Amino acid sequence: MEQHTYPTDLVQAQIACFRAYRALATNPHSSPTARRRRLLHLSAQVLFHPYWAHTGSRARLEGLRRYARALEQIRAA
């Protein structure tokens, strides 16, 4: 796996975002409002993280998503 320089809190927020999305998709009828709010909060936390101001590009967002997915799969194994 490549070496990445994403801040730990940003990676954790992205992983939490994946999990919140999966929870909403798995059971959309079980308190969907609270789950949607959590997903929205986490998405905003990722998108408006100070890291993006320093990189000058949000094109690295896809790299973050791939990196976070890979970490999540490693932890699940």
Side-chain angles (χ1 to χ4, degrees):
M1 187 180 299
E2 297 176 29
Q3 183 67 13
H4 294 281
T5 58
Y6 298 110
T8 304
D9 63 326
L10 180 58
V11 174
Q12 290 173 343
Q14 183 63 59
I15 290 171
C17 194
F18 289 149
R19 290 178 181 163
Y21 182 83
R22 227 177 357 260
L24 183 61
T26 302
N27 193 356
H29 303 295
S30 174
S31 66
T33 303
R35 290 180 184 194
R36 273 192 230 120
R37 285 183 184 149
R38 174 140 174 82
L39 181 59
L40 183 61
H41 172 75
L42 290 166
S43 297
Q45 192 176 349
V46 169
L47 289 173
F48 297 106
H49 192 278
Y51 172 79
W52 302 120
H54 299 295
T55 62
S57 171
R58 289 210 183 165
R60 295 185 71 182
L61 182 59
E62 183 58 30
L64 168 67
R65 289 179 179 148
R66 289 179 184 172
Y67 179 65
R69 275 195 188 106
L71 277 180
E72 189 177 28
Q73 289 174 354
I74 289 170
R75 290 179 186 167

